[in-house]
Amino acid sequence: MAAHLSYGRVNLNVLREAVRRELREFLDKCAGSKAIVWDEYLTGPFGLIAQYSLLKEHEVEKMFTLKGSRLPAADVKNIIFFVRPRLELMDIIAENVLSEDRRGPARDFHILFVPRRSLLCEQRLKDLGVLGSFIHREEYSLDLIPFDGDLLSMESEGAFKECYLESDQTSLYHAAKGLMTLQALYGTIPQIFGKGECARQVANMMIRMKREFTGSQNSIFPVFDNLLLLDRNVDLLTPLATQLTYEGLIDEIYGIQNSYVKLPPEKFAPKKQGDGGKDLPTEAKKLQLNSAEELYAEIRDKNFNAVGSVLSKKAKVISAAFEERHNAKTVGEIKQFVSQLPHMQAARGSLANHTSIAELIKDVTRAPDPQWVISVLIEVEISYKFANSILASEDFFDKLTVEQEFMSGIDTDKVNSYIEDCIAQKHPLIKVLRLVCLQSVCNSGLKQKVLDYYKREILQAKRLLLQTYGYEHILTLHNLEKAGLLKPQTGGRNNYPTIRKTLRLWMDDVNEQNPTDISYVYSGYAPLSVRLAQLLSRPGWRSIEEVLRILPGPHFEERQPLPTGLQKKRQPGENRVTLIFFLGGVTFAEIAALRFLSQLEDGGTEYVIATTKLMNGASWIESLMEKPF
């Protein structure tokens, strides 16, 4: 059991065990020894619900990545393909099956589509002459995956593009299915609130699914009080800004995938005196990041500027704990110290890792305070060489300054000189597009001449760099415009100042060390999406009707009647539990802001977060870029 999934008000281990049970049942249908052939994208999400030990218990002896040509040799009775319903993957599967048939002896083939079966994929397998080779063709409804005690994700990488560019409701259907599964496990959610077209569609699907369900009434006492469905395009601004929480910056700089991050190994190598830094490791350091690690749970949602002091205090506490060994005189005292040793050593290792990560982030963001670094390193009993790598990153702060100027409403209506310089110096295209889109969103669209100038400069600059990419970027700009990220201003009216002022999206005085408002996660900017959730909780959306009419899509409320005896009677001081579902993706900074609200003594609401995809600005823009043919 994953203990960290049961720490919060909602025990997400119940969901994890339900999807594990479904997996075990499928594996047991395939009697005998097994080899699993994985669609590589699925290995990360599956790792969060089923480790190899579980698969081994059900006679899985080999695992391979899905690739063309022949499969590696495996003396097993069953070969099972775990794949997403993608036509291009069917071609590879057919190649694998045909090569195995030629190799002999005969194997039993099975295919498990995640999260749904596809008639188109099965037709492709039939056209390729291998559909009849599969004994079992089933689907595995892995709609929502528990990432942490308050976090669920579908990890649907194309959800935003499908919804807002291609008018494909597939991911919305699976969001609705996932929500129905949650209600089957945790009780009917009495109230549904929503904002946006996709939110409305998901709510309608849920209502229709409930009506079509002919089974007995749900008799489980409700765990959730409210469901808030929120379209990503209601708040296009937040993901474009640079996240400034500890977890957010790790994701911005290195990318967190399925709770894991890969980091440069040199910062984690134990240095020995006189070794001159020889034989440094070359393989990336891979760390799991979730609330199972006590220190990470404490610092992940803090503004990065508040992390150093926490690490320094932890270092002193750990150092003092190890010094206690000198005070252990009796056999009983020594035995007690020895029993605490594994936990203390784990805490010291955790501190060392996060000190190294903080140092890596500081290399990118700004020069560290030497006293902070030295104090932490002395306490952890590790010595690192500080060389030229610990220098202020002027570009990071120039970019951050421009972002914050845009978000506070400064110079959003004209060509920005920093963006011009980035284009001229051929900075990464994603960085340039992210800034231009941010300016566009903060100005309710760009003036036509400003938009035309940026487009012309981007396309010309890239043609000089690599001429064959020209057409691709024209399509990318079209995608960004269709998504509402990069567009001309219509009607000559900028609505952003009204939204910013009414929702208090920009705060000049932010306490990063001891925050009193969600704006600490961006050092001034309060995520619009989270502010909407906060205002829904108290005093309610009626107080912001004007802004809700400006923001895209309808806002609505639905009530789901509960059977007699299941109505919740809240105890004095008991918080509501709201499930907030981001349709189109959510950032770690938004998650941090919601956790901050959950922890407020007088907040009145605790949040569980669900999403189609965990994302940041770079991965979001990349998902909208057209790939070369």
Side-chain angles (χ1 to χ4, degrees), residues 50 76 133 140 189 243 319 356 410 414 460 497-498 570 579 585:
V76 293
S133 301
Y140 182 53
I189 305 174
Q243 306 170 78
S319 181
S356 297
I410 298 172
K414 57 188 180 184
Q460 285 179 351
T498 302
R570 193 169 294 102
L579 173 63

Side-chain angles (χ1 to χ4, degrees), residues 2 14 18 20 48 56 62 203 209 212 260 289 354 368-369 372 452 469 546 561 573 620:
V14 174
R20 282 162 65 89
L48 295 171
K56 197 172 180 181
K62 299 281 186 180
M209 288 175 186
E212 291 169 355
Y260 284 89
L289 302 174
H354 289 291
D369 172 6
W372 170 79
D452 290 343
Y469 276 20
E546 181 189 353
W620 189 30

